[in-house]
Amino acid sequence: MLKIGLIGATGHVGYVLEGLREQTDAYLAGIAPGSHGEDMDSLNRRALQYGYIPELYPNYIEMLDTLKPDVVAIASHFNDHASIAVEALHRNIHVFVEKPVATTLADLDNVKVAYQNSHAQLAAMFGIRYTSCFLTVEKLLQEGSVGEVRLLHAQKSYRLGERNALYKRRETYGGTIPWVGSHAIDWLYSWSGERFTSVFASHSTRANQQHGELEATAMCQFTCTNEVMGSLTIDYLRPKQAPSHADDRIRIVGTRGIVEVMHNKVYVINEGAEGIQEAPLLPSQPIFADFLRQVQGRGKCLISSEQSFAVTEACLRARMSADEGRVVFF
Amino acid sequence: MLKIGLIGATGHVGYVLEGLREQTDAYLAGIAPGSHGEDMDSLNRRALQYGYIPELYPNYIEMLDTLKPDVVAIASHFNDHASIAVEALHRNIHVFVEKPVATTLADLDNVKVAYQNSHAQLAAMFGIRYTSCFLTVEKLLQEGSVGEVRLLHAQKSYRLGERNALYKRRETYGGTIPWVGSHAIDWLYSWSGERFTSVFASHSTRANQQHGELEATAMCQFTCTNEVMGSLTIDYLRPKQAPSHADDRIRIVGTRGIVEVMHNKVYVINEGAEGIQEAPLLPSQPIFADFLRQVQGRGKCLISSEQSFAVTEACLRARMSADEGRVVFF
């Protein structure tokens, strides 16, 4: 029976609560704040609604040392992910961590070293990969629906709404490319089948409606090995009249076809049929359950540690490119 | 009565033949080859089908000097546009020229100097701007449908098919960014409302199916004044099963809304209504007729000379960026 500790009440804690729903061999044993001022009462109430009765610890170090969880999930303020992950890895506790894994390259290095020196496993919360459309794309690519991938373009568009102070300072937020863009950079990285060789990016805080240092728009262009290329636009300018919070898209162009996610559908053009085909969708899966299966030796998580680190690094190099207005090489 | 001379049988000669269809004050007086080996017989037959009976000249210099046309349209091999335009401008003949105006920056400079020293007018064949969807976007932007533009992303996707030798050598073709991308770079330039400050681009000849130096994929990312940004993907990998030759798109994100062209429709999200609205489309217009109206002092062509030059320059700087793997500044 795996003991799960949840650290933080800020990021996608829902992945953990959902992922444990049908697990008979894992349970939420404890929760602890990961950052100063997190609302643990509210998290505790949510846990109770799911039927979990975790112990509440005053800080995560005490939880790690007293509870000795097998696995921790980390969803604190974004700039605290790395140091918490390091503490868990030092204790050989498996880590399921909010993306990006770190908000600075120095912090990322600390996590990588701690991981290499541990016997623990790690995956970042790239949960969109487990939604219906994106799992379907994964399958289509494996089946060779587009042939050899040559070009990818992704879109992240969110409503801004009113966000709290965490989002308004680079130091705590990390930036829009790492926070919002990381999902799409994960798609580009995973589905190009290549390594990134360089990135050029731009971002701007204009039109951010009093959100301080938060960038309302951004773009990244990655060059990859084998002359594959991937780009990405990000904006927080999706109007409130839009039919949903997010407008996530990706278009993957290969030598034998094109696959595209748009408006929660998957479209294919290839030799399979004339015209544009709508692909039948796979059901979504709970990401945390997939990670737990790997921890238990019963499978391989779709999100590897290598990829979690590589995508975080790519986010931070893209942010550096945008800050400095120059090409950054990998 | 304006005398029109058509030079070349390679590019969008249809713009000229169509544009003259309902002109009662202009006629196709002569045609001449612009480049070695152009099929003038076939062009002549097309002209006759439209009911025009142009005189056929053995070369364009002779046509310029003998016929003394008021306006020439230039649609020769792509690397000959510039020198032909210079000859016409030296004679104060108005120039309607295939895009890009030139395939090298040195050639572009020659055209600009000749233009500045002439009394002639000039516009490049950015004909997609005159199609139904794109005229509709123009109108929506003028009406303030998106507020202040902050981010633009465009797509050009074409079927490759079998292209002739002209397309297979950089020297004659100019490159995929200038030839295919110029349309989208025109949209970004015109609709950003800004000047370009830098570009980073990539391109690759991989997967070009024996088309020599033709790039099958490309990407450009422009930074603009006022931190506006615009990007673009180009590919020749649209499968033959696709429902059309081209899949042209643009998405324009502003402070108060989003306008998008896709699948020959225009979509709007803004305060005008809940959800995604489909905009009623304006009818398409013949681009050449618009230029002739300007020549006759009866209006202002949607495509200015300034823009024709600026977009050509942007194409060539983007190509330079892709060739050299570095940011190019304007």
Side-chain angles (χ1 to χ4, degrees):
Chain A
M1 195 74 161
L2 291 175
K3 272 192 288 191
I4 313 296
L6 171 54
I7 301 174
T10 301
H12 294 93
V13 295
Y15 289 160
V16 178
L17 301 176
E18 274 299 319
L20 287 173
R21 201 191 260 280
E22 286 160 41
Q23 299 297 112
T24 52
D25 44 10
Y27 70 106
L28 186 63
I31 61 176
S35 307
H36 187 70
E38 287 190 298
D39 181 0
M40 299 309 291
D41 287 345
S42 159
L43 175 62
N44 198 38
R45 279 196 301 276
R46 274 184 77 183
L48 290 170
Q49 281 164 6
Y50 273 83
Y52 313 139
I53 310 176
E55 185 143 353
L56 176 57
Y57 291 85
N59 67 73
Y60 66 88
I61 295 287
E62 192 174 321
M63 183 171 80
L64 296 178
D65 289 335
T66 311
L67 178 65
K68 297 184 194 302
D70 301 292
V71 178
V72 290
I74 303 170
S76 62
H77 292 179
F78 313 153
N79 55 327
D80 290 326
H81 299 158
S83 53
I84 300 169
V86 166
E87 291 293 343
L89 292 168
H90 280 169
R91 292 164 175 81
N92 286 308
I93 296 170
H94 304 295
V95 167
F96 179 63
V97 58
E98 180 61 275
K99 50 78 210 165
V101 174
T103 54
T104 68
L105 286 169
D107 278 359
L108 177 62
D109 274 344
N110 290 340
V111 182
K112 285 163 79 169
V113 168
Y115 172 76
Q116 281 150 11
N117 293 331
S118 79
H119 307 296
Q121 298 178 30
L122 179 146
M125 297 189 190
F126 290 117
I128 296 177
R129 288 276 295 288
Y130 288 79
T131 60
S132 187
C133 286
F134 288 80
L135 284 176
T136 303
V137 168
E138 190 94 29
K139 175 166 169 283
L140 288 168
L141 293 178
Q142 280 166 6
E143 292 171 354
S145 290
V146 308
E148 197 183 309
V149 173
R150 298 300 315 153
L151 178 149
L152 309 93
H153 176 73
Q155 173 182 303
K156 294 290 298 179
S157 179
Y158 282 175
R159 287 188 190 135
L160 180 55
E162 288 274 348
R163 292 177 183 242
N164 67 35
L166 169 65
Y167 288 81
K168 296 179 184 174
R169 281 175 51 225
R170 165 67 71 88
E171 190 191 341
T172 50
Y173 174 51
T176 294
I177 292 175
W179 177 243
V180 181
S182 51
H183 289 290
I185 293 172
D186 172 49
W187 309 333
L188 301 181
Y189 182 78
S190 303
W191 292 336
S192 64
E194 305 289 339
R195 283 175 294 105
F196 293 144
T197 55
S198 76
V199 62
F200 180 74
S202 304
H203 57 195
S204 170
T205 59
R206 304 270 186 103
N208 74 0
Q209 297 174 57
Q210 268 89 51
H211 278 72
E213 295 170 2
L214 174 143
E215 299 91 357
T217 53
M219 284 186 168
C220 308
Q221 185 174 320
F222 292 90
T223 53
C224 309
T225 45
N226 284 314
E227 298 181 20
V228 172
M229 50 197 88
S231 63
L232 153 67
T233 71
I234 311 170
D235 70 80
Y236 271 118
L237 296 176
R238 188 158 166 81
K240 66 175 190 296
Q241 295 85 3
S244 60
H245 169 66
D247 185 3
D248 286 348
R249 303 184 192 179
I250 186 160
R251 178 170 171 270
I252 304 167
V253 179
T255 49
R256 287 175 42 225
I258 297 176
V259 163
E260 189 165 8
V261 174
M262 189 168 31
H263 301 152
N264 299 315
K265 295 187 192 297
V266 176
Y267 299 101
V268 181
I269 310 177
N270 65 14
E271 61 209 17
E274 280 302 306
I276 303 171
Q277 312 157 58
E278 199 180 317
L281 298 182
L282 292 176
S284 65
Q285 299 288 339
I287 176 173
F288 189 50
D290 193 36
F291 180 64
L292 291 184
R293 265 195 299 278
Q294 173 176 292
V295 164
Q296 293 165 326
R298 296 190 289 118
K300 194 166 170 306
C301 185
L302 193 58
I303 313 292
S304 69
S305 59
E306 181 276 329
Q307 178 187 344
S308 304
F309 292 138
V311 172
T312 299
E313 181 188 339
C315 291
L316 298 177
R317 291 200 186 278
R319 185 186 69 186
M320 183 188 294
S321 169
D323 283 342
E324 300 176 10
R326 65 179 178 93
V327 182
V328 171
F329 294 89
F330 287 77
Chain B
M1 196 76 161
L2 290 177
K3 272 192 289 193
I4 312 297
L6 172 54
I7 300 173
T10 301
H12 293 94
V13 296
Y15 289 160
V16 178
L17 302 176
E18 274 300 318
L20 287 173
R21 202 190 258 281
E22 288 160 40
Q23 299 295 114
T24 52
D25 45 9
Y27 71 106
L28 186 63
I31 60 177
S35 306
H36 187 70
E38 287 190 299
D39 181 359
M40 298 309 291
D41 287 345
S42 159
L43 175 62
N44 198 38
R45 279 196 301 276
R46 274 185 78 182
L48 289 169
Q49 280 164 8
Y50 274 83
Y52 313 139
I53 310 176
E55 185 143 354
L56 176 57
Y57 291 85
N59 66 73
Y60 67 87
I61 296 288
E62 192 174 321
M63 182 172 80
L64 296 179
D65 289 335
T66 312
L67 178 65
K68 297 186 194 304
D70 301 292
V71 178
V72 291
I74 302 169
S76 61
H77 292 179
F78 313 154
N79 55 326
D80 289 327
H81 300 157
S83 54
I84 300 169
V86 166
E87 292 292 344
L89 292 167
H90 280 168
R91 292 164 175 81
N92 285 307
I93 296 171
H94 304 296
V95 167
F96 179 62
V97 58
E98 181 60 276
K99 50 78 207 164
V101 174
T103 53
T104 67
L105 286 169
D107 278 359
L108 177 61
D109 274 345
N110 291 340
V111 182
K112 285 164 81 170
V113 169
Y115 172 77
Q116 280 150 12
N117 292 332
S118 79
H119 308 296
Q121 298 177 30
L122 179 146
M125 297 189 190
F126 290 116
I128 296 176
R129 288 275 296 287
Y130 287 79
T131 60
S132 188
C133 285
F134 288 80
L135 284 176
T136 303
V137 168
E138 191 93 30
K139 175 167 169 281
L140 288 168
L141 293 178
Q142 279 166 8
E143 292 170 355
S145 290
V146 308
E148 197 183 308
V149 173
R150 297 301 313 155
L151 177 149
L152 309 93
H153 176 74
Q155 174 182 302
K156 294 290 297 178
S157 178
Y158 282 175
R159 286 187 191 137
L160 180 56
E162 288 274 348
R163 292 179 183 240
N164 67 35
L166 169 65
Y167 288 82
K168 297 179 184 173
R169 282 176 50 226
R170 166 68 69 88
E171 190 191 341
T172 49
Y173 174 52
T176 294
I177 292 173
W179 178 244
V180 181
S182 52
H183 289 291
I185 293 172
D186 172 50
W187 309 333
L188 301 181
Y189 181 78
S190 303
W191 292 335
S192 66
E194 305 290 339
R195 282 175 294 106
F196 293 145
T197 54
S198 75
V199 62
F200 181 74
S202 304
H203 56 195
S204 170
T205 59
R206 303 270 185 105
N208 74 359
Q209 298 173 56
Q210 268 90 49
H211 278 71
E213 295 171 2
L214 175 143
E215 299 91 358
T217 53
M219 285 186 167
C220 308
Q221 185 173 322
F222 292 89
T223 53
C224 309
T225 45
N226 284 314
E227 298 181 19
V228 172
M229 51 197 88
S231 63
L232 155 66
T233 71
I234 311 170
D235 69 81
Y236 270 118
L237 297 176
R238 188 158 166 81
K240 66 175 191 295
Q241 295 85 1
S244 60
H245 169 66
D247 186 3
D248 287 348
R249 304 184 191 179
I250 186 160
R251 178 169 171 270
I252 304 167
V253 179
T255 49
R256 287 175 41 225
I258 296 175
V259 163
E260 188 165 8
V261 174
M262 189 169 31
H263 301 152
N264 299 314
K265 294 188 191 299
V266 176
Y267 299 101
V268 181
I269 310 176
N270 66 12
E271 61 210 16
E274 281 302 306
I276 302 171
Q277 311 156 59
E278 198 180 317
L281 298 181
L282 293 175
S284 64
Q285 299 288 339
I287 177 174
F288 189 50
D290 194 36
F291 181 62
L292 292 183
R293 266 195 301 277
Q294 174 176 289
V295 164
Q296 294 165 325
R298 296 188 290 120
K300 195 165 169 306
C301 185
L302 193 58
I303 312 293
S304 70
S305 60
E306 181 276 328
Q307 179 187 341
S308 303
F309 293 137
V311 172
T312 298
E313 181 188 339
C315 291
L316 299 176
R317 291 201 187 278
R319 186 186 69 186
M320 183 189 295
S321 169
D323 283 341
E324 300 177 10
R326 65 179 178 91
V327 182
V328 171
F329 294 89
F330 287 77

